[in-house]
Amino acid sequence: MVNVRLTKLDGTVVEKMVEKAKYGGIFVSPIPFRGSVLGFDDALTMPPDALTLHLTNEDLFQGDWSRGPAGTGEASWAFYDYIVQLQRPLLAESWEMPDSDTFVFYIRKGVHFHDKPPTNGREMDAHDIAFSLNRFYESPMSYLHNSYPGTIESITATDDWTVVMKCKPGKASLLMAVTAGFCKIIPHEVVEKYGDMSDWRNSCGTGPFILTDYVANSSVVFVRNPSYWDTDPLLPDNKLPYLDGVKWLSIPDISTKLAALRTAKIDWLINLPRDDAQQLIRTNPELVSKRLPSSGATIFMRVDNQEIPFYDIRVRQALNMAIDNEAIVKDYYNGDAATLCFPAAPILEYANIYTPLEELPESARELYEYHPDKAKQLLAEAGYPDGFKTEAICYSSQVDELSMVKSYWAEIGVDLKLEVREYGVWNSIRLSGKFTDMFTYAIGGMPYRLTYVMPKNNLNLSFVNDPRVNEAIKAIGENFFNDPKRIEIMEDICPYIIDQAWWVQLPSPYDYYMWQPWIKNYSGEHSVGYSAQQGNFTKWIWIDQDLKEEMTGKR
């Protein structure tokens, strides 16, 4: 054991004993997040879906591991978000704002790309940063190009170690998170030689792991980057990563995943349904587990069209009150779900802005209570005494929950048709916004961003354009780096957003994360930083191979 001394953001000193880490071993798991790799280039694929980049390439900033459970305990890293105070500079060593619309990033020296063609291990510099950011904002298929059009004035490398990003007036805070924690840095030679990184063989970055093999619908293999630059924030004499490598397996079937964890063929499994997790806890008590609130299915209703029912708040209120959330939690989830997880989830990072259901104003609180008679009355007042027909775009894994909604709404005369789409088609509809009535999406995290109510953002699936919300978004932007003021704004606007009933949020089930006891320095982290960093915890964890051999006979 080693004694470490850390300092919290408020200046409090934390002393704790941690195990001295050991090097070696391969971390084996199912492919994280959606269970498949959908692309290898985040200018062509949604960044969270270009999963291999989370291990092979890096951002300007990353979540500060020492602020999480392994360190001071100020962050859970259960949800992804960009909270300025919880980040640490990564490829950017430091930054400043000379004016309200300009960022200056000072780039870290001594960071090298993977030792493979076409870079052959050359040192990364500011020109790589500027190239990557410009490419991300300008590529027609890029998330940033489509979600934040017309927000960048220029991104320029003014010398080998300085990048200046000029934003359109008032857009700087909006772009800080997506620029600093959502855009992986790649070498320009890859694009110049191959056109892009859509072929996994072209993967090249500065990250802790190197992608060495990919077999579609089978496996993804990474090996340790022997020239990686970063060190353990708890044990700064230790170079990262500790693992020799990471192996992801494509395991679509849940029963196969459970068997693999039970027999120690994999080291880690997340998003386990309650019944399966509880069974594993009984049969394999040696497994370590953590329960976390997940993203609940949410039915967005278009409120931008006066010709459809959802334009009237009374209709939206009625649809919420017609659902018995308490019964869903009790009977469908066996009590293992949270009724209210949005706009802010009940996790450590959002403790200052989360308002428990019982503390909300009555008008907001009753939206989550079961009032079918009042729902009928509200529909009648809105001009729909006999109800109406509507449809919701969804994908297959949402059907069970939506079937319950369909049944509840039928009792107040609302006939819901479920339009089930294959995931790729569903996602295309989400990005384009081309649907008529409702769209179902699993939402969670990022309350400070307010993207789900931000005009012209493709996560604003109800097409909200509300003056009070817009003013709050503007104020949050102006106070993006002033945490106390930003918290104050969020405390005020969150109950208002709930009260407007722009969506129907169903109960959010608790997911279980489970891992083998020989996985050390891990406490259930999901994404250490922003959305495009899922699975990046492998940078800090280590395997106690002696314990593994003692328990399984294998190292």
Side-chain angles (χ1 to χ4, degrees), residues 12 47 87 96 100 121 169 246 279 287 298 313 325 336 342 360 395 432 436 522:
T12 304
Q87 308 301 306
E96 64 179 357
S100 60
V246 174
Q279 177 65 21
L287 293 172
T298 302
I313 189 174
N325 288 291
D336 215 23
F342 192 75
L360 286 173
Y395 62 95
S432 68
T436 305
Y522 181 72

Side-chain angles (χ1 to χ4, degrees), residues 261-281:
L261 185 66
R262 187 178 292 113
T263 57
K265 291 179 180 177
I266 59 175
D267 297 310
W268 173 84
L269 186 56
I270 66 171
N271 299 336
L272 275 172
R274 174 185 179 275
D275 290 345
D276 293 322
Q278 292 295 341
Q279 177 65 21
L280 274 176
I281 290 170

Side-chain angles (χ1 to χ4, degrees), residues 449-461:
R449 306 284 294 158
L450 292 181
T451 48
Y452 298 105
V453 287
M454 183 183 292
K456 298 182 180 180
N457 190 288
N458 61 19
L459 291 177
N460 181 358
L461 294 164

Side-chain angles (χ1 to χ4, degrees), residues 151-173:
T151 53
I152 291 291
E153 217 41 93
S154 64
I155 302 174
T156 309
T158 56
D159 59 41
D160 287 349
W161 307 108
T162 308
V163 173
V164 177
M165 183 174 84
K166 292 186 176 295
C167 309
K168 297 285 188 181
K171 300 297 184 181
S173 63

Side-chain angles (χ1 to χ4, degrees), residues 2 32 54 67 78 95 121 237 248 254 258 285 314-315 382 390 405 436-438 455 463 478 542:
V2 180
H54 305 180
R67 303 263 172 227
W95 62 282
D237 290 335
W248 292 343
I254 182 63
L258 294 171
R314 293 170 295 186
V315 172
T390 187
V405 173
T436 305
D437 290 2
M438 295 186 288
F463 295 83
E478 293 169 348
W542 58 278

Side-chain angles (χ1 to χ4, degrees), residues 5-117:
R5 184 181 175 91
L6 305 166
T7 304
K8 288 187 174 184
L9 292 169
D10 64 5
T12 304
V13 174
V14 175
E15 287 199 46
K16 62 190 302 182
M17 300 296 292
V18 300
E19 286 187 77
K20 188 175 181 179
K22 300 175 184 177
Y23 287 88
I26 306 295
F27 178 79
V28 183
S29 79
I31 299 175
F33 198 39
R34 301 196 201 281
S36 60
V37 178
L38 302 184
F40 300 92
D41 188 332
D42 57 8
L44 307 175
T45 305
M46 277 289 286
D49 294 327
L51 287 169
T52 61
L53 293 179
H54 305 180
L55 274 63
T56 61
N57 293 66
E58 297 181 293
D59 304 272
L60 293 178
F61 287 71
Q62 188 174 65
D64 188 343
W65 180 260
S66 70
R67 303 263 172 227
T72 60
E74 296 166 277
S76 68
W77 303 127
F79 276 18
Y80 54 82
D81 201 351
Y82 189 91
I83 299 174
V84 176
Q85 291 74 14
L86 297 176
Q87 308 301 306
R88 65 172 285 238
L90 199 64
L91 296 185
E93 193 167 40
S94 62
W95 62 282
E96 64 179 357
M97 290 186 73
D99 60 62
S100 60
D101 299 315
T102 304
F103 290 104
V104 179
F105 298 109
Y106 298 102
I107 306 309
R108 189 180 300 277
K109 297 179 181 179
V111 177
H112 293 259
F113 285 109
H114 297 155
D115 190 6
K116 57 179 289 190

